[in-house]
Amino acid sequence: NNIDLERALKCNRKSLLERSVVVEETDKDTYNKHTRKLEKIDNEENTFIRLKGLVWSATAKDIRTFLKGCNVKEVVLTTTSNGKPSGNAFVHLETEADVQKALAHNRKYLRERFVLVEEIYESQYFRETKGFVDRSVQVQPSINKKSESESEGNFNESIKVEKGTTEKENIEKDLETVKKEEHLDAKKPDFKFEIIPSGNIPDYEDLLEDCKDLEIDGIIWHRGEVIEDSDSKANIFLGCTVENTQVDAEIVKQKLEAVTLVSKVNVLLS
């Protein structure tokens, strides 16, 4: 209730162990969007995953290739309210065993970005993909003679076809959209940070990944690097591409400094 909310917000910036914790109010849609599935549900299919951090030009075929060894029923790539790729994809798999195979691909790279793979609830899947795919019509992609062998890999996919246009016109339109998005990507600003750990830590690479686990709207993390010095200590350097113009370097800096085992963050590029 609202009383508990007010109590929680009063804990903002208080210390938990040795770190300051940021407590912020959110809305229902944002809460549902970031909910992670922690256990199986008896009365629903447990065969849904979400991929986050995709390159803007990623296609359903790229995702099927990335999830090698998994039997895929459906791939849905979502967009933002402005029609740009969100960097997220939602995948319906054949079996629970396929989900476990897919989770083994977590943090592996698709082109220049690593991809987060996480299991989600069936209700999340249909809520997040609503409006991006027309499930009233199942469209079989045409397969030419050169790719007949691909038919063995279950390539059935629900796709949304615009009325009054041919498949060729839709493909040409998609290619043109990708070109525009890549052009816009080149103009997006980057931030770069130096992350100073708090003393000696067991694994600097793990801390780098913890920083990249931060979910900030409009921020796409780069790979990052750990540079060690002669005293077996290390600093972490991490950059990001900025999609949301309302997010500045100071906001990202504060979020990074709230990560456990981070002592200080310096802004190198903004």
Side-chain angles (χ1 to χ4, degrees), residues 45 78 85 91 132-133 166-167 178 180 184 202 214 216 248 265:
E45 285 189 75
T78 58
V91 182
F132 293 102
V133 62
T166 65
E167 182 178 358
V178 168
K180 290 180 180 178
L184 290 171
L214 282 175
I216 305 174
D248 60 27
V265 175

Side-chain angles (χ1 to χ4, degrees), residues 113-259:
R113 293 180 184 170
F114 78 89
V115 178
L116 295 177
V117 182
E118 55 191 27
E119 188 175 2
I120 60 173
Y121 296 100
E122 181 179 358
S123 57
Q124 278 180 280
Y125 180 86
F126 286 104
R127 181 174 59 250
E128 294 294 333
T129 61
K130 184 179 180 180
F132 293 102
V133 62
D134 183 1
R135 293 190 172 86
S136 63
V137 179
Q138 296 289 320
V139 182
Q140 296 283 350
S142 59
I143 302 176
N144 58 34
K145 292 182 179 179
K146 291 183 180 180
S147 59
E148 283 179 351
S149 60
E150 293 180 340
S151 62
E152 299 176 1
N154 186 14
F155 274 73
N156 298 332
E157 181 178 349
S158 298
I159 61 174
K160 189 172 183 180
V161 180
E162 295 183 17
K163 295 181 179 179
T165 59
T166 65
E167 182 178 358
K168 181 180 178 181
E169 289 171 336
N170 278 314
I171 293 173
E172 290 174 347
K173 184 176 180 180
D174 288 342
L175 289 174
E176 184 63 27
T177 299
V178 168
K179 289 179 181 178
K180 290 180 180 178
E181 288 158 357
E182 290 176 342
H183 177 69
L184 290 171
D185 253 0
K187 295 183 178 180
K188 291 170 186 172
D190 286 347
F191 296 159
K192 188 172 183 180
F193 304 93
E194 178 188 22
I195 301 168
I196 302 173
S198 55
N200 292 320
I201 61 174
D203 194 322
Y204 290 95
E205 292 289 346
D206 281 350
L207 180 55
L208 171 59
E209 295 303 321
D210 287 343
C211 292
K212 289 158 68 174
D213 278 345
L214 282 175
E215 295 181 358
I216 305 174
D217 185 35
I219 293 297
I220 304 298
W221 296 113
H222 299 169
R223 181 173 297 191
E225 60 181 341
V226 174
I227 299 181
E228 298 185 7
D229 60 25
S230 57
D231 298 325
S232 299
K233 294 182 180 180
N235 283 351
I236 297 169
F237 295 88
L238 178 59
C240 62
T241 298
V242 185
E243 173 76 11
N244 184 353
T245 56
Q246 295 182 345
V247 177
D248 60 27
E250 188 60 29
I251 292 175
V252 181
K253 175 179 180 289
Q254 291 175 6
K255 298 281 188 182
L256 287 169
E257 287 181 335
V259 174

